[in-house]
Amino acid sequence: MATEGDVELELETETSGPERPPEKPRKHDSGAADLERVTDYAEEKEIQSSNLETAMSVIGDRRSREQKAKQEREKELAKVTIKKEDLELIMTEMEISRAAAERSLREHLGNVVEALIALTN
Protein backbone atom coordinates (compact mmCIF):
# COMPACT_ATOMS: atom_id res chain seq x y z
CA MET A 1 0.00 0.00 0.00
CA ALA A 2 1.00 3.55 -0.58
CA THR A 3 1.85 5.91 2.18
CA GLU A 4 1.24 9.62 2.27
CA GLY A 5 4.78 10.40 1.20
CA ASP A 6 4.49 8.30 -1.93
CA VAL A 7 1.39 10.09 -3.14
CA GLU A 8 2.95 13.46 -2.65
CA LEU A 9 5.95 12.42 -4.67
CA GLU A 10 3.85 11.40 -7.58
CA LEU A 11 1.94 14.65 -7.58
CA GLU A 12 5.12 16.70 -7.49
CA THR A 13 6.59 14.97 -10.51
CA GLU A 14 3.44 15.51 -12.52
CA THR A 15 3.19 19.21 -11.81
CA SER A 16 6.87 20.10 -11.68
CA GLY A 17 7.74 18.77 -15.13
CA PRO A 18 7.71 21.13 -18.12
CA GLU A 19 4.55 20.98 -20.09
CA ARG A 20 5.09 19.76 -23.60
CA PRO A 21 2.58 20.65 -26.25
CA PRO A 22 1.27 17.65 -28.05
CA GLU A 23 3.26 16.97 -31.20
CA LYS A 24 1.55 18.01 -34.37
CA PRO A 25 1.43 15.44 -37.06
CA ARG A 26 4.04 16.31 -39.68
CA LYS A 27 2.76 16.95 -43.14
CA HIS A 28 4.65 16.40 -46.34
CA ASP A 29 4.13 19.92 -47.65
CA SER A 30 7.67 21.22 -47.17
CA GLY A 31 8.18 20.73 -50.90
CA ALA A 32 5.15 22.90 -51.60
CA ALA A 33 6.52 25.64 -49.33
CA ASP A 34 9.87 25.51 -51.14
CA LEU A 35 8.12 25.71 -54.49
CA GLU A 36 6.09 28.69 -53.27
CA ARG A 37 9.28 30.51 -52.23
CA VAL A 38 10.91 29.85 -55.60
CA THR A 39 7.90 31.11 -57.54
CA ASP A 40 7.65 34.18 -55.31
CA TYR A 41 11.33 34.92 -55.98
CA ALA A 42 10.87 34.49 -59.73
CA GLU A 43 7.80 36.72 -59.77
CA GLU A 44 9.61 39.39 -57.75
CA LYS A 45 12.53 39.38 -60.19
CA GLU A 46 10.12 39.64 -63.12
CA ILE A 47 8.36 42.61 -61.53
CA GLN A 48 11.68 44.32 -60.82
CA SER A 49 12.86 43.90 -64.41
CA SER A 50 9.60 45.22 -65.83
CA ASN A 51 9.77 48.20 -63.45
CA LEU A 52 13.32 48.87 -64.61
CA GLU A 53 12.28 48.77 -68.26
CA THR A 54 9.40 51.14 -67.55
CA ALA A 55 11.65 53.53 -65.65
CA MET A 56 14.24 53.53 -68.43
CA SER A 57 11.51 54.24 -70.97
CA VAL A 58 10.21 57.16 -68.93
CA ILE A 59 13.71 58.57 -68.50
CA GLY A 60 14.41 58.23 -72.22
CA ASP A 61 11.14 59.97 -73.10
CA ARG A 62 11.87 62.79 -70.68
CA ARG A 63 15.37 63.30 -72.05
CA SER A 64 14.14 63.41 -75.62
CA ARG A 65 11.45 65.96 -74.71
CA GLU A 66 13.99 68.11 -72.86
CA GLN A 67 16.41 67.95 -75.78
CA LYS A 68 13.66 68.83 -78.25
CA ALA A 69 12.58 71.81 -76.10
CA LYS A 70 16.19 72.96 -75.86
CA GLN A 71 16.60 72.81 -79.65
CA GLU A 72 13.39 74.80 -80.15
CA ARG A 73 14.59 77.42 -77.65
CA GLU A 74 17.91 77.73 -79.50
CA LYS A 75 16.05 78.22 -82.79
CA GLU A 76 13.93 80.98 -81.25
CA LEU A 77 17.01 82.69 -79.81
CA ALA A 78 18.76 82.52 -83.18
CA LYS A 79 15.88 84.49 -84.73
CA VAL A 80 16.43 87.44 -82.39
CA THR A 81 18.35 90.28 -84.05
CA ILE A 82 20.99 92.05 -82.04
CA LYS A 83 23.07 95.11 -82.82
CA LYS A 84 26.82 94.81 -83.19
CA GLU A 85 27.35 97.93 -81.04
CA ASP A 86 25.27 96.45 -78.20
CA LEU A 87 27.26 93.23 -78.36
CA GLU A 88 30.59 95.07 -78.20
CA LEU A 89 29.36 97.27 -75.35
CA ILE A 90 28.42 94.27 -73.22
CA MET A 91 31.68 92.49 -74.06
CA THR A 92 33.86 95.45 -73.02
CA GLU A 93 31.88 96.56 -69.98
CA MET A 94 31.31 93.12 -68.50
CA GLU A 95 34.61 91.64 -69.77
CA ILE A 96 32.94 88.47 -71.01
CA SER A 97 33.31 86.42 -74.16
CA ARG A 98 31.48 87.20 -77.37
CA ALA A 99 29.35 84.05 -77.05
CA ALA A 100 28.24 84.90 -73.49
CA ALA A 101 27.41 88.48 -74.44
CA GLU A 102 25.49 87.34 -77.51
CA ARG A 103 23.58 84.74 -75.52
CA SER A 104 22.58 87.29 -72.90
CA LEU A 105 21.41 89.76 -75.53
CA ARG A 106 19.40 87.11 -77.38
CA GLU A 107 17.76 85.89 -74.16
CA HIS A 108 16.65 89.46 -73.41
CA LEU A 109 15.41 90.05 -76.96
CA GLY A 110 18.18 92.53 -77.81
CA ASN A 111 17.49 94.80 -74.83
CA VAL A 112 20.92 95.99 -73.64
CA VAL A 113 19.76 97.27 -70.26
CA GLU A 114 18.02 94.01 -69.31
CA ALA A 115 21.01 91.96 -70.51
CA LEU A 116 23.42 94.05 -68.42
CA ILE A 117 21.19 93.81 -65.34
CA ALA A 118 20.95 90.05 -65.73
CA LEU A 119 24.73 89.75 -66.07
CA THR A 120 25.39 91.80 -62.95
CA ASN A 121 22.95 89.84 -60.77
Side-chain angles (χ1 to χ4, degrees):
M1 291 204 136
T3 63
E4 280 184 41
D6 291 341
V7 174
E8 288 178 21
L9 259 183
E10 288 177 20
L11 290 176
E12 285 180 16
T13 56
E14 287 180 13
T15 57
S16 66
E19 293 183 24
R20 291 185 183 172
E23 285 191 35
K24 296 179 181 178
R26 293 187 179 186
K27 296 181 181 176
H28 298 287
D29 60 337
S30 65
D34 290 342
L35 181 61
E36 183 69 26
R37 277 187 246 132
V38 169
T39 55
D40 287 347
Y41 178 77
E43 289 170 354
E44 185 177 309
K45 286 295 183 184
E46 186 176 315
I47 290 170
Q48 287 176 354
S49 67
S50 68
N51 288 344
L52 179 63
E53 290 171 5
T54 304
M56 294 301 288
S57 173
V58 168
I59 290 171
D61 291 345
R62 184 180 300 150
R63 283 186 182 167
S64 65
R65 284 194 308 265
E66 288 173 356
Q67 193 168 13
K68 194 174 194 178
K70 189 176 181 179
Q71 287 174 349
E72 289 176 12
R73 173 81 173 141
E74 291 298 322
K75 285 179 184 178
E76 288 178 20
L77 289 178
K79 292 178 184 177
V80 175
T81 57
I82 55 174
K83 295 179 184 175
K84 189 174 186 177
E85 303 87 33
D86 294 342
L87 182 63
E88 289 176 4
L89 174 71
I90 291 177
M91 285 172 45
T92 56
E93 292 299 319
M94 298 304 294
E95 297 179 356
I96 57 174
S97 68
R98 179 177 213 81
E102 186 176 341
R103 175 78 180 189
S104 180
L105 268 173
R106 289 189 189 278
E107 286 178 348
H108 295 93
L109 305 174
N111 188 331
V112 179
V113 176
E114 288 181 15
L116 285 169
I117 292 171
L119 289 169
T120 56
N121 289 336

